[in-house]
């Protein structure tokens, strides 16, 4: 039972600039962080994390500014499904 939060403007290097984005998976019962998700964005403004969805143990994170890409992850391990 997980919840996902997208942070499409996340930028670790320069917080005043739009970044590559991140997504965070939390245990919906305890609120504990389960995994942190990222993808290699092709540009700084690809907005990874702008759209998110979860179904069971599968998490989908959208990156709409990069040709509408979406990434599928295992929610608990954070491993990208290829």
């Amino acid at each position: 039972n997980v919840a996902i939060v997208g942070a499409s403007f996340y930028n670790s290097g320069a917080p005043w600039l739009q970044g590559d984005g991140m997504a965070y998976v939390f245990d919906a019962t305890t609120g504990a962080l389960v995994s942190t998700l990222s993808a290699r964005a092709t540009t700084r403004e690809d907005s990874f994390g702008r759209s998110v969805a979860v179904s069971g143990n599968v998490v989908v994170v959208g990156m709409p500014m990069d040709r509408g890409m979406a990434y599928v992850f295992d929610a608990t391990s954070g491993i990208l499904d290829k």
Side-chain angles (χ1 to χ4, degrees):
N1 196 11
V2 297
I4 184 165
V5 176
S8 61
F9 286 89
Y10 175 81
N11 183 340
S12 63
W16 57 90
L17 296 174
Q18 181 174 347
D20 297 339
M22 297 286 279
Y24 303 93
V25 180
F26 295 92
D27 182 299
T29 304
T30 66
L33 181 63
V34 174
S35 59
T36 302
L37 310 175
S38 63
R40 183 170 303 278
T42 56
T43 69
R44 181 177 310 229
E45 287 123 10
D46 283 341
S47 297
F48 178 83
R50 180 172 290 176
S51 55
V52 295
V54 63
S55 178
N57 201 40
V58 176
V59 171
V60 180
V61 182
M63 194 163 66
M65 305 308 280
D66 185 15
R67 299 175 309 277
M69 297 286 294
Y71 293 84
V72 179
F73 295 88
D74 178 281
T76 54
S77 70
I79 294 174
L80 181 63
D81 186 12
K82 294 184 179 185

